Amino acid sequence: MTALATALTPSHLRLLEALFPGDGLVTRPEEMAVFGADSSRRSALPWAVVRPRSEEQIVELLRWAEAEKMPLVPRLRGTGMSGGAVPAFGGVVVSTLWLNRVIDIDASDFCAEVEPGVVTAEFQALTQKQKLFYPPDPASLKISTLGGNVSTCAGGMRAVKYGVTRDYVLGVRAVLPGGKICDAGGRTHKNVVGLDLTRLFVGSCGTLGIFTKLTLKLLPLPESSATVLAAFGSLRGALEGAHNVFRAGILPTALEFMDAVACRGIAQIRDVPWPKDTTQAVLLLKIDGSASALPGDLDRLTRALSQANPLCLLKGLGPGEEEPLWEIRRLVSPAAFQLGPDKLGEDVAVPRGKTVEAVEGFQAIGAENDVHVACYGHLGDGNIHVNIIYDAGDDGQRARAKACKEAVFRLTLSLGGTISGEHGTGITKGPYVSWQLSETERSLMAGIKQVFDPSGILNPGKGWV
Amino acid sequence: MTALATALTPSHLRLLEALFPGDGLVTRPEEMAVFGADSSRRSALPWAVVRPRSEEQIVELLRWAEAEKMPLVPRLRGTGMSGGAVPAFGGVVVSTLWLNRVIDIDASDFCAEVEPGVVTAEFQALTQKQKLFYPPDPASLKISTLGGNVSTCAGGMRAVKYGVTRDYVLGVRAVLPGGKICDAGGRTHKNVVGLDLTRLFVGSCGTLGIFTKLTLKLLPLPESSATVLAAFGSLRGALEGAHNVFRAGILPTALEFMDAVACRGIAQIRDVPWPKDTTQAVLLLKIDGSASALPGDLDRLTRALSQANPLCLLKGLGPGEEEPLWEIRRLVSPAAFQLGPDKLGEDVAVPRGKTVEAVEGFQAIGAENDVHVACYGHLGDGNIHVNIIYDAGDDGQRARAKACKEAVFRLTLSLGGTISGEHGTGITKGPYVSWQLSETERSLMAGIKQVFDPSGILNPGKGWV
């Protein structure tokens, strides 16, 4: 493989100026800084930032970049948690935020065509107007984009019932290094012609191509929903409650949990509806369906939970009653900072039945390393957000937090889990990928990468290699 | 690329005898014939058939085959409709039917680990005993295997609500040419570490590796179900009925239809519940959910259908009442033979809203070519089974049937559809793949194939190349 360019030359810059006139090219460091960071709190200064307005510009860019061996780092809103969009190994950042048209939302085909820069929540609002439903709901949905969601295979709370972003991508149009366009998949809900390039693009973190259009699958919008919050005196009690729900044949839309540390953090910033002294875990469940079915299904859900003897149980039928309960859930992440100024936010996943063992283990690892560990998240998927809270100004705490993170990964893998359920590996988890993936798997991935991007110009150094 | 072996030599045979003792090796033509055919009615005699009992034997076989450039054609029950398992281009058939253990069905993890030779319906019966649910239901499920289903990304009637086989595969363990083992994915419901090798294996038709273990996702078993059959005086009336159902926010488990030709075929072999003279299309819908929700949801479903003025509407609540209605649906395929001795069974899919246009077009194509065309299938996915019925003994009819098939493909593609929604391309649709996939897509697929199988020994000549 030819070596990549290590800097932008004056002639490179002149080409970029011609291709991206006006504010399409950003080169002043103070303006570029924001394009070099993401929600991982890592950052690096791009060599330049280009902001295409059309697919044609992206085609030209990829032709040039392939010829010049110029590293490119695709980017949208930078809400990723693992540094996937940070140009940590240099290169030109390509922001496709201006490709933000909703091309089509079709209530007959039950699909939509969008450009990558469309904000997820705005798209969902548009679909709802047509009584359509795009289920994926990463926590960032109000600010993140569909292109970013597809690029990371974003998850979310509704994954228990509805699956993740992958399950709603019918087609991906992407420009490849060299400027060729790959138009994988399409508007049909079933399609088995050839290898599944569409899903290969999903979760590929900008390493295979730059998306210019996505075709998404939509569902009919459920008529109604209901939410239950239940507090338990033990983590095992909470998991028994969750298990009873599944055993009753109920597939909840969402099944979230918060451990004792997370509950205590929230109690420090607002009134909470659970008994503060005895609560060790809280479950939050949502169900949806027809208006006529919901009251009966809600009864069935509360009966299943009640068999596990919750300390308290609150119900909400319909968005007005449900919203206050979900507001509590959204406070977990900010509440973690009540316990310390910095955190490592991991998102491991374990087989669903291993959740108690995992959370008890993570708590013990926190205790051993003398750092706070708050666990919460998507119990229904075994996808646990492990917040390791510490003070980065303290060398000892910083080292202990890192040791804690590594122990969390080791325990996760020993339970048959994965080091990332929905955030991706980016740069923060890059060094640990080989703990999970075998040499055979990594070499297949490297081989596939080379088929799409023979010079390795797209988002170098990220992921699995 | 080195040329593949063109025959088995005596020394090859001695190696296979040593590796597959006793009935593990089949070489007598009369015994091999059954291993050379599938449900496409195509066949070719294998050079030999091997029947491994263990992964170790498969590893040895793939080491040897890579060294000898020996073509291998993986095979399970041979229920494929497109000749994917037929050794049309020569080679040794590898039947993994004896790898048929259900390793694990876990009601806590909501997943199962199985070997590829497990029969789908038998697996589903085992999961149901634990109140668990494996939704994919290809029409062949009583005789086809999970390995075959994953290899083709099999669809089925429940795909409208539950998706296809792809959506239930969490992990694939496969032996690659050369004998390395790739263990992609695992028991977690979410996992975004690295490129998605798991779903790349799904639908790859034995071209990337030989499966030895599959990890499948399970759901809680729905408590109850109901079925409605509605007959309409026009195809457009039926589609209006289906559209009303989705508009009412109902996501049916299954949404099947049969056109006038299919209805007439069934009426020739049994009593039918619809008015024979006026029925132009029949819808068959299934919903599922909790026992308390079903009666209300069934009312809502019948109200939505009634707005499209059906000629008749029959309801069934619970398996006992539903079964007679589904029995009618299962007769469509055999009933087609009332109209002629041979058929081409295509399985195109179009965007859901294009179904009427497609079916009307297919009927017109049949009329133009003077052959019977019966359309039926998965309306909810836009996945239409087009049965072109003719007499293969008549040269003119045979030529017209082929012309009809090609016109069906052209119309499908012009509507944004795919030439295969669930059967795969195999040999019967191989020549038409380039009508759908661009040179860029095909060359990416060929590149990926080469990463897994550099000598091209696995199922050569099938698919997309």
Side-chain angles (χ1 to χ4, degrees):
Chain A
M1 201 184 292
T2 321
L4 293 180
T6 54
L8 276 183
T9 63
S11 87
H12 287 148
L13 263 175
R14 278 194 298 278
L15 183 289
L16 291 178
E17 278 163 6
L19 187 52
F20 299 95
D23 57 357
L25 174 67
V26 182
T27 52
R28 290 170 51 178
E30 61 274 29
E31 288 176 24
M32 287 199 295
V34 68
F35 292 94
D38 75 1
S39 294
S40 69
R41 299 180 165 200
R42 305 290 184 101
S43 66
L45 201 62
W47 296 348
V49 178
V50 296
R51 314 182 76 184
R53 293 180 186 278
S54 71
E55 185 180 82
E56 292 69 31
Q57 282 177 301
I58 299 176
V59 167
E60 282 305 313
L61 177 72
L62 275 277
R63 257 187 215 145
W64 167 80
E66 175 64 23
E68 299 294 326
K69 309 298 172 210
M70 181 59 62
L72 300 178
V73 183
R75 171 190 184 84
L76 284 147
R77 274 287 181 87
T79 58
M81 305 293 287
S82 62
V86 174
F89 307 96
V92 175
V93 165
V94 185
S95 164
T96 50
L97 262 186
W98 285 349
L99 296 181
N100 63 358
R101 281 185 311 148
V102 174
I103 299 164
D104 181 28
I105 295 176
D106 190 319
S108 297
D109 287 352
F110 282 79
C111 80
E113 291 184 21
V114 298
E115 291 183 332
V118 174
V119 171
T120 306
E122 292 172 11
F123 172 68
Q124 283 173 332
L126 289 174
T127 59
Q128 280 178 31
K129 280 191 193 159
Q130 297 196 46
K131 286 190 158 191
L132 296 169
F133 182 39
Y134 175 72
D137 60 340
S140 61
L141 76 148
K142 286 186 185 168
I143 49 170
S144 65
T145 61
L146 291 165
N149 294 174
V150 172
S151 174
T152 54
C153 189
M157 299 200 289
R158 290 194 285 235
V160 190
K161 178 167 178 178
Y162 290 106
V164 295
T165 299
R166 179 197 304 119
D167 301 306
Y168 295 88
V169 184
L170 298 176
V172 170
R173 185 174 164 98
V175 185
L176 310 181
K180 279 194 182 164
I181 290 171
C182 175
D183 216 347
R187 289 172 75 96
T188 61
H189 285 215
K190 285 179 179 166
N191 183 357
V192 291
V193 175
L195 292 177
D196 193 349
L197 300 182
T198 303
R199 279 79 188 189
L200 193 59
F201 277 118
V202 180
S204 62
C205 298
T207 61
L208 301 184
I210 295 187
F211 302 159
T212 56
K213 194 179 80 176
L214 307 165
T215 306
L216 303 173
K217 173 178 161 178
L218 302 173
L219 302 181
L221 187 66
E223 211 175 22
S224 188
S225 61
T227 293
V228 173
L229 181 149
F232 293 85
S234 72
L235 189 62
R236 281 172 189 266
L239 198 89
E240 189 195 326
H243 194 63
N244 290 347
V245 170
F246 287 119
R247 292 295 289 176
I250 302 169
L251 182 58
T253 309
L255 170 41
E256 297 289 300
F257 89 107
M258 298 177 273
D259 76 352
V261 179
C263 291
R264 274 203 307 276
I266 294 173
Q268 286 182 26
I269 56 174
R270 61 158 282 167
D271 283 341
V272 290
W274 55 75
K276 282 199 249 183
D277 295 340
T278 46
T279 295
Q280 292 296 314
V282 165
L283 293 184
L284 200 53
L285 297 97
K286 194 188 193 76
I287 54 173
D288 62 15
S290 60
S292 65
L294 254 283
D297 284 351
L298 183 56
D299 277 353
R300 213 156 59 102
L301 176 62
T302 52
R303 268 202 311 278
L305 287 167
S306 296
Q307 285 164 14
N309 302 313
L311 301 172
C312 76
L313 196 148
L314 299 170
K315 294 192 272 188
L317 188 58
E321 289 180 29
E322 293 177 87
E323 184 48 30
L325 300 174
W326 287 100
E327 203 185 304
I328 298 172
R329 165 67 179 83
R330 280 191 292 270
L331 289 173
V332 192
S333 189
F337 290 109
Q338 294 298 311
L339 303 169
D342 298 285
K343 71 170 181 178
L344 299 175
E346 303 306 328
D347 75 312
V348 300
V350 293
R352 194 188 277 166
K354 293 283 199 293
T355 319
V356 165
E357 200 175 336
V359 173
E360 288 178 348
F362 301 155
Q363 289 169 341
I365 289 167
E368 277 161 32
N369 289 283
D370 195 20
V371 291
H372 293 289
V373 169
C375 296
Y376 62 93
H378 317 309
L379 182 63
D381 308 305
N383 184 195
I384 307 161
H385 291 294
V386 185
N387 278 197
I388 301 164
I389 301 147
Y390 69 110
D391 181 350
D394 175 329
D395 284 351
Q397 281 199 42
R398 207 169 57 238
R400 293 202 304 277
K402 188 183 176 206
C404 184
K405 166 180 167 162
E406 296 187 346
V408 165
F409 287 167
R410 271 192 293 267
L411 176 58
T412 298
L413 293 171
S414 77
L415 294 172
T418 172
I419 63 171
S420 184
E422 49 183 27
H423 292 169
T425 53
I427 50 179
T428 62
K429 283 187 278 272
Y432 305 100
V433 168
S434 63
W435 292 18
Q436 177 173 334
L437 300 181
S438 70
E439 197 277 330
T440 299
E441 287 170 90
R442 280 178 287 129
S443 95
L444 290 171
M445 291 175 193
I448 294 168
K449 160 80 171 166
Q450 216 174 342
V451 170
F452 286 75
D453 178 16
S455 306
I457 60 173
L458 283 178
N459 213 0
K462 304 297 170 57
W464 51 86
V465 281
Chain B
M1 198 185 292
T2 322
L4 294 179
T6 53
L8 277 182
T9 64
S11 87
H12 287 148
L13 263 174
R14 279 193 300 277
L15 182 288
L16 290 177
E17 278 163 7
L19 186 54
F20 299 95
D23 55 358
L25 174 67
V26 182
T27 53
R28 289 171 53 179
E30 61 274 29
E31 288 176 24
M32 287 200 295
V34 68
F35 293 93
D38 75 2
S39 294
S40 70
R41 299 178 165 200
R42 305 291 184 101
S43 66
L45 201 62
W47 296 348
V49 178
V50 296
R51 315 183 75 184
R53 294 180 186 278
S54 71
E55 185 180 82
E56 292 70 30
Q57 282 177 301
I58 298 176
V59 168
E60 282 304 313
L61 175 72
L62 276 277
R63 257 189 215 144
W64 166 80
E66 176 63 22
E68 299 293 327
K69 310 298 173 209
M70 181 59 62
L72 299 179
V73 182
R75 172 190 183 83
L76 284 146
R77 274 287 181 86
T79 59
M81 305 293 286
S82 61
V86 174
F89 307 96
V92 174
V93 165
V94 186
S95 164
T96 51
L97 262 185
W98 286 350
L99 297 182
N100 63 357
R101 281 184 311 147
V102 175
I103 300 163
D104 182 25
I105 295 176
D106 190 319
S108 297
D109 288 351
F110 282 78
C111 81
E113 291 184 21
V114 299
E115 292 183 331
V118 174
V119 171
T120 307
E122 292 172 10
F123 173 69
Q124 282 173 332
L126 289 173
T127 60
Q128 280 178 31
K129 280 191 192 159
Q130 296 196 47
K131 287 190 159 191
L132 297 169
F133 182 38
Y134 176 72
D137 60 340
S140 60
L141 77 149
K142 286 187 184 168
I143 49 170
S144 65
T145 61
L146 292 164
N149 294 173
V150 172
S151 173
T152 54
C153 189
M157 298 200 289
R158 291 194 286 236
V160 191
K161 178 167 179 178
Y162 290 105
V164 295
T165 299
R166 179 198 303 120
D167 302 305
Y168 296 87
V169 183
L170 298 175
V172 170
R173 186 175 164 97
V175 184
L176 309 181
K180 280 194 183 166
I181 290 171
C182 175
D183 216 345
R187 289 172 75 96
T188 61
H189 285 216
K190 284 179 180 165
N191 183 358
V192 291
V193 175
L195 293 176
D196 193 349
L197 299 182
T198 303
R199 278 80 187 189
L200 193 59
F201 278 118
V202 180
S204 63
C205 298
T207 61
L208 301 183
I210 295 186
F211 303 159
T212 56
K213 193 179 80 176
L214 306 165
T215 306
L216 303 173
K217 173 178 162 178
L218 303 173
L219 301 181
L221 187 66
E223 213 175 19
S224 189
S225 61
T227 292
V228 173
L229 181 150
F232 293 85
S234 72
L235 189 62
R236 282 174 187 266
L239 198 89
E240 189 195 327
H243 194 63
N244 291 346
V245 170
F246 286 119
R247 293 293 291 174
I250 303 169
L251 183 58
T253 309
L255 171 41
E256 297 289 302
F257 90 107
M258 298 177 273
D259 75 353
V261 179
C263 291
R264 276 203 304 278
I266 294 174
Q268 286 182 26
I269 57 175
R270 61 157 283 168
D271 284 341
V272 290
W274 55 75
K276 281 199 250 184
D277 295 339
T278 47
T279 295
Q280 292 295 317
V282 166
L283 293 184
L284 200 53
L285 297 97
K286 194 188 193 75
I287 54 173
D288 63 15
S290 61
S292 66
L294 255 283
D297 284 350
L298 183 55
D299 277 353
R300 213 157 59 100
L301 176 62
T302 52
R303 268 202 312 278
L305 287 167
S306 295
Q307 284 164 15
N309 301 313
L311 301 172
C312 75
L313 197 149
L314 299 170
K315 295 192 272 189
L317 187 58
E321 289 180 28
E322 293 176 86
E323 184 49 30
L325 299 175
W326 287 100
E327 203 185 303
I328 298 172
R329 165 67 179 82
R330 281 191 291 271
L331 289 174
V332 191
S333 190
F337 290 110
Q338 294 298 310
L339 304 170
D342 297 285
K343 71 170 179 177
L344 299 176
E346 302 308 327
D347 76 313
V348 300
V350 293
R352 194 188 275 167
K354 293 284 198 294
T355 318
V356 165
E357 201 176 335
V359 173
E360 288 179 348
F362 300 154
Q363 289 169 341
I365 290 168
E368 278 161 34
N369 289 282
D370 195 20
V371 291
H372 292 289
V373 169
C375 297
Y376 61 93
H378 316 309
L379 181 63
D381 307 306
N383 185 196
I384 306 162
H385 291 294
V386 185
N387 278 196
I388 301 164
I389 301 147
Y390 69 110
D391 181 351
D394 175 329
D395 285 350
Q397 282 198 43
R398 208 170 55 238
R400 293 202 304 277
K402 189 183 177 208
C404 184
K405 166 179 167 163
E406 296 188 347
V408 164
F409 288 168
R410 271 191 293 268
L411 175 59
T412 298
L413 293 170
S414 77
L415 295 172
T418 172
I419 62 170
S420 184
E422 50 183 27
H423 292 169
T425 52
I427 49 178
T428 62
K429 284 188 278 272
Y432 305 101
V433 168
S434 63
W435 292 17
Q436 177 172 334
L437 300 181
S438 69
E439 198 277 330
T440 300
E441 287 170 271
R442 281 178 287 130
S443 96
L444 289 171
M445 292 176 192
I448 293 168
K449 161 80 171 168
Q450 216 174 343
V451 171
F452 286 76
D453 178 16
S455 307
I457 61 172
L458 282 178
N459 212 1
K462 303 297 169 58
W464 51 85
V465 281

